[in-house]
Amino acid sequence: MTRNVWTGRAWWLERLREDRGSESISAAIVTPLLLMLLCLAIAGGRIVTSGAKIDAAAEDAARAASISRTTSGAQAEATAAAARSLNDQGIHCASTSTSVDTAGFAVPLGEIGTVTVIISCTMPMSDLLLPGVPGSKTLTSTFTSVVDAYRSREG
């Protein structure tokens, strides 16, 4: 019984052209990529949300500083308000700095002055993304609040 060589080759060529199993291979390639994209979107959302919470803390700190009567009191009130706001919102900074520009207190009565607060918060990446992720990210926010033009103030 002789077997035709071309029949065997034709069978293999036909097998190579079949699509069976290609969906499984496509799913095995695409699924991890989609999961990575989803994780990246979640990470970006968490960073943006944390930035918004730091913005809110800067607003609270600037408002607290603008209603203070003295420059030293404004610094203390802004720092305390920023710490309270961050704590209330569940933000845990590895290090925090609050800078207050109180030049608006030197403006004469009847003119509008401003107080600017800059808050910088260094957060561990494990708090932002997933537990165990190394590194940290520094988020900074600035807010300016108006000092009442007709309120008495001390320089």
Side-chain angles (χ1 to χ4, degrees), residues 27-39:
I29 292 171
V30 171
T31 301
L33 294 175
L34 288 176
L35 287 175
M36 285 191 328
L37 184 64
L38 177 68
C39 289

Side-chain angles (χ1 to χ4, degrees), residues 41-86:
I42 290 170
R46 291 193 63 161
I47 290 172
V48 168
T49 301
S50 297
K53 290 178 180 182
I54 301 223
D55 289 345
E59 291 176 28
D60 293 344
R63 182 63 188 139
S66 72
I67 60 175
S68 183
R69 298 280 181 203
T70 63
T71 56
S72 60
Q75 176 70 38
E77 287 294 322
T79 303
R84 269 192 316 271
S85 181
L86 290 172

Side-chain angles (χ1 to χ4, degrees), residues 1 19 26 33 40 47 50-51 53 56-57 59 66 82 94 105 107 111 126-127 133 138-139 152:
M1 176 186 264
D19 285 342
S26 297
L33 294 175
L40 246 146
I47 290 172
S50 297
K53 290 178 180 182
E59 291 176 28
S66 72
F105 284 103
V107 175
E111 292 183 24
S126 60
D127 283 356
V133 176
T138 302
L139 302 171
S152 67

Side-chain angles (χ1 to χ4, degrees), residues 105-141:
F105 284 103
V107 175
L109 282 176
E111 292 183 24
I112 296 175
T114 60
V115 174
T116 302
V117 174
I118 301 171
I119 294 179
S120 182
C121 172
T122 302
M123 297 182 68
M125 291 300 267
S126 60
D127 283 356
L128 288 172
L129 305 177
L130 295 171
V133 176
S136 62
K137 180 161 181 64
T138 302
L139 302 171
T140 304
S141 181

